[in-house]
Amino acid sequence: MKYLIGLVSVLLLGCASKKVQDIPEAPRGLYEVLTQQSTGGANIRFFEILTTTDEIAMLRGDENLRGKISDSDMKTANFLILNMGEKPTGGYSINVTNVEETPTNIIVTVVENNPEAGSMNTMAITYPYTVVRINSKKPIEIK
């Protein structure tokens, strides 16, 4: 009987609740790619920087971006739309390879990827694009 009481005591003490400390949310990086699609972009190649609340609000209507842009982003972030334009096949993409913050601005390095010669690709016209959130309101320079 003593053994049973001792076992129950150990189990009850082991299950005692502890105060859970709040773990702070991990800080955001300088940027985040919100979506990268092979189709759905514009017919022409262009890069656009969205900075105003009205411009950013338009992004929230896109089905690929729903739930990825918060109210606080309107005040603390800028957004990039990187369109590659019309491409004759699949296999094309546009990527951000580096984002650097200087004391006065943000420098974004963009690379356009083409399919390898002779590779098998979708035989359809595509419109690759990428949308990126820059977690800063500093002016943006695209390389």
Side-chain angles (χ1 to χ4, degrees):
M1 185 70 169
K2 287 183 183 181
Y3 175 74
L4 183 59
I5 292 173
L7 182 61
V8 170
S9 298
V10 168
L11 287 174
L12 288 176
L13 289 174
C15 295
S17 66
K18 295 181 183 179
K19 182 178 178 183
V20 177
Q21 293 181 342
D22 290 331
I23 299 172
E25 190 175 312
R28 279 185 171 175
L30 185 55
Y31 77 101
E32 180 181 357
V33 175
L34 300 180
T35 190
Q36 185 172 25
Q37 303 292 322
S38 61
T39 190
N43 292 2
I44 60 171
R45 180 185 179 274
F46 73 90
F47 303 154
E48 186 172 1
I49 301 167
L50 306 179
T51 59
T52 68
T53 303
D54 291 339
E55 292 171 328
I56 296 167
M58 290 186 330
L59 290 177
R60 295 174 97 178
D62 185 294
E63 66 185 49
N64 294 313
L65 299 173
R66 286 201 182 112
K68 296 182 180 181
I69 301 171
S70 68
D71 289 340
S72 65
D73 288 336
M74 305 276 208
K75 297 175 185 151
T76 62
N78 288 324
F79 292 81
L80 297 178
I81 299 175
L82 308 170
N83 277 288
M84 236 178 135
E86 183 178 298
K87 299 300 174 190
T89 66
Y92 291 87
S93 66
I94 186 162
N95 302 322
V96 171
T97 59
N98 189 44
V99 177
E100 179 183 346
E101 184 172 18
T102 71
T104 57
N105 65 355
I106 304 291
I107 302 169
V108 178
T109 305
V110 174
V111 172
E112 295 181 5
N113 301 300
N114 300 325
E116 291 184 30
S119 63
M120 297 291 291
N121 295 296
T122 306
M123 295 307 294
I125 294 174
T126 59
Y127 303 90
Y129 75 102
T130 299
V131 178
V132 181
R133 176 178 43 230
I134 305 293
N135 295 313
S136 172
K137 281 299 207 180
K138 289 182 180 179
I140 297 173
E141 176 186 328
I142 299 174
K143 286 184 167 180

